[in-house]
Amino acid sequence: MITETGKVVAVDGDQAWVQTIRTSACQSCSAKAACGQRALAQVTGGRANQVCVFNSVNARVGDEVVLGIDEQSLLQASIWVYGLPLLLMVLFSIAGHQWLGGSDLFAILGALLGLAGGFILVRCWQDRVAGRLQPKMLRVNRIATVNCL
């Protein structure tokens, strides 16, 4: 399970809006020189993100919560989102070139058609499995307060 800590900023019925601030582990990562995540974090400036999740632990506004997402689900989603459109783009490009006259124009049109078809298929798949890909609220981090007299 991949986890992230955030703060509840709003509660609406059984849903909660949780704000997370990107923290970077880039300084300790051995692949930091060639990582797209580091470049993305530099561009966005580490801004806060908000995500709507099912409030399964009855968190209140201001509570610090731990969100989690299953690694297998994340891996499967990554393969679908990145792999399927690219695979269809390559296959349709080859098909367009081979079957429609050997022209580069048909290869380009086939590539665009395959890429668009891949995005459409990913969107349909996403609608079917949306519940499994949502982060889940795992627990509320409660800090004990000490009353000083």
Side-chain angles (χ1 to χ4, degrees), residues 79-100 103-122:
I79 290 171
W80 272 89
V81 169
Y82 293 110
L84 184 65
L86 290 175
L87 178 66
L88 289 180
M89 182 181 77
V90 170
L91 293 177
F92 276 56
S93 176
I94 293 168
H97 186 268
Q98 293 293 324
W99 295 335
L100 298 176
S103 169
D104 288 345
L105 177 64
F106 290 123
I108 292 169
L109 291 175
L112 292 175
L113 183 64
L115 189 63
F119 287 143
I120 291 168
L121 287 174
V122 167

Side-chain angles (χ1 to χ4, degrees), residues 2-117:
I2 298 171
T3 61
E4 179 71 31
T5 303
K7 184 176 184 178
V8 177
V9 293
V11 175
D12 183 24
D14 61 350
Q15 302 290 316
W17 284 94
V18 178
Q19 182 177 39
T20 61
I21 298 176
R22 275 187 224 128
T23 55
S24 178
C26 295
Q27 300 307 321
S28 62
C29 178
S30 62
K32 65 183 173 185
C35 179
Q37 181 66 28
R38 181 175 187 213
L40 184 63
Q42 287 176 339
V43 169
T44 60
R47 289 179 292 194
N49 296 316
Q50 287 188 2
V51 62
C52 185
V53 296
F54 178 69
N55 191 359
S56 59
V57 295
N58 296 321
R60 298 180 304 261
V61 174
D63 284 347
E64 184 177 285
V65 295
V66 176
L67 303 178
I69 189 167
D70 182 51
E71 290 116 349
Q72 280 302 113
S73 297
L74 186 62
L75 180 61
Q76 183 182 24
S78 298
I79 290 171
W80 272 89
V81 169
Y82 293 110
L84 184 65
L86 290 175
L87 178 66
L88 289 180
M89 182 181 77
V90 170
L91 293 177
F92 276 56
S93 176
I94 293 168
H97 186 268
Q98 293 293 324
W99 295 335
L100 298 176
S103 169
D104 288 345
L105 177 64
F106 290 123
I108 292 169
L109 291 175
L112 292 175
L113 183 64
L115 189 63

